[in-house]
Amino acid sequence: MAFNLGTTQRQLGSIIEDFKKARDTWTELNSHGFPIANTLTNSVIQSRYVDEVQYWHPVLTHEFPNLRQKYDSKMQVIIQKDMSKLEDIVNKMAKQYHKMQNQYNELCVICDRTMEMKGKEYIHTQPMYETCPLSVFQQRMEVILSMYSAELEVKRSTVTGLRNIMKREEGLVLLSIWINQPSLVKSTLQEWEDVCTTEMKLTLNYPSP
């Protein structure tokens, strides 16, 4: 099969657009997950009251000896519901990550096929649009993919951490980690946006991580 630059450009453009859509959806899920994480934090803190004697008046505990146990059971049910909602968000984020992974794999296939037909030097030196060769798109996408992989693990750890907090301050730290997504380096994402906009004349308008 003969190499066709126009076809390769269209395939690359489609991959980059799909990559953008997955990132956009991830960002929306992160925003949707924050109030759920906040509710979970509050529920876990409230559940700790069962072990604080000062919150339970002796008259109440004398008249209703099972009051604390009932309160604890009720809070555990609430916490589990909150956990399930947040885990569902993380699972949806994982699906978006896997989409990004598939898009990167598609790009690798394009690179391999192009190299077979045009040689290794071609994918490192021949601009696909304006100045950047295929290898630049591949390398930059690989870096971004690794950031999302790391952030997905942070998300999973954060959910577990919120379930086990003992103080509100601990919860606030984890909530900050959730919303700020420390594994996603803004400067790297901005560079990717700049490359795509310049090379392909696209306005990607990536949301902030």
Side-chain angles (χ1 to χ4, degrees), residues 113-132:
R113 186 170 62 241
T114 301
M115 188 164 56
E116 288 176 3
M117 291 187 287
K118 301 293 289 185
K120 185 175 182 179
E121 183 178 356
Y122 186 92
I123 70 167
H124 292 290
T125 60
Q126 179 63 38
M128 284 302 298
Y129 300 99
E130 297 291 336
T131 61
C132 292

Side-chain angles (χ1 to χ4, degrees), residues 54 124 148 190:
Q54 66 269 25
H124 292 290
Y148 277 92
Q190 184 61 51

Side-chain angles (χ1 to χ4, degrees), residues 5-17 107 110 122 125-134 137 195-202:
L5 178 59
T7 298
T8 304
Q9 287 174 330
R10 287 191 294 274
Q11 291 173 336
L12 176 59
S14 178
I15 289 171
I16 290 174
E17 280 296 318
L107 178 54
I110 291 175
Y122 186 92
T125 60
Q126 179 63 38
M128 284 302 298
Y129 300 99
E130 297 291 336
T131 61
C132 292
L134 264 175
F137 291 100
V195 166
C196 293
T197 302
T198 301
E199 292 294 310
M200 304 171 64
K201 300 297 187 288
L202 295 176

Side-chain angles (χ1 to χ4, degrees), residues 18-191:
D18 289 342
F19 195 69
K20 174 189 182 299
K21 290 176 183 177
R23 278 198 58 222
D24 286 349
T25 302
W26 171 292
T27 301
E28 291 173 4
L29 288 167
N30 190 64
S31 297
H32 292 162
F34 182 75
I36 299 172
N38 187 49
T39 300
L40 174 60
T41 300
N42 292 333
S43 298
V44 172
I45 293 300
Q46 290 175 28
S47 75
R48 303 304 182 201
Y49 294 162
V50 73
D51 298 320
E52 302 292 337
V53 178
Q54 66 269 25
Y55 289 109
W56 303 93
H57 196 282
V59 174
L60 278 176
T61 54
H62 177 73
E63 187 171 351
F64 304 100
N66 296 326
L67 182 61
R68 290 172 66 180
Q69 290 86 342
K70 289 181 178 180
Y71 176 82
D72 183 54
S73 296
K74 177 182 178 180
M75 291 309 304
Q76 294 309 314
V77 170
I78 293 173
I79 288 170
Q80 189 53 53
K81 287 182 179 179
D82 294 338
M83 282 282 292
S84 296
K85 291 178 182 178
L86 198 56
E87 287 170 346
D88 182 58
I89 290 288
V90 174
N91 288 336
K92 289 178 179 177
M93 296 176 95
K95 289 181 181 179
Q96 297 309 310
Y97 166 72
H98 290 313
K99 287 182 180 179
M100 295 181 220
Q101 200 171 38
N102 289 336
Q103 288 141 17
Y104 171 72
N105 290 338
E106 289 178 16
L107 178 54
C108 289
V109 170
I110 291 175
C111 289
D112 290 343
R113 186 170 62 241
T114 301
M115 188 164 56
E116 288 176 3
M117 291 187 287
K118 301 293 289 185
K120 185 175 182 179
E121 183 178 356
Y122 186 92
I123 70 167
H124 292 290
T125 60
Q126 179 63 38
M128 284 302 298
Y129 300 99
E130 297 291 336
T131 61
C132 292
L134 264 175
S135 61
V136 170
F137 291 100
Q138 182 184 32
Q139 291 161 6
R140 288 182 179 271
M141 189 177 284
E142 182 179 15
V143 170
I144 293 173
L145 185 65
S146 68
M147 292 194 304
Y148 277 92
S149 176
E151 186 58 32
L152 182 59
E153 292 307 311
V154 170
K155 286 287 185 283
R156 288 168 172 158
S157 297
T158 300
V159 173
T160 301
L162 286 172
R163 178 65 181 86
N164 296 309
I165 59 173
M166 299 301 295
K167 298 179 180 179
R168 183 169 298 278
E169 290 75 11
E170 297 172 359
L172 293 176
V173 170
L174 292 174
L175 288 173
S176 178
I177 290 173
W178 178 282
I179 199 64
N180 289 306
Q181 307 194 92
S183 298
L184 304 186
V185 182
K186 291 184 178 181
S187 60
T188 302
L189 297 175
Q190 184 61 51
E191 288 173 2

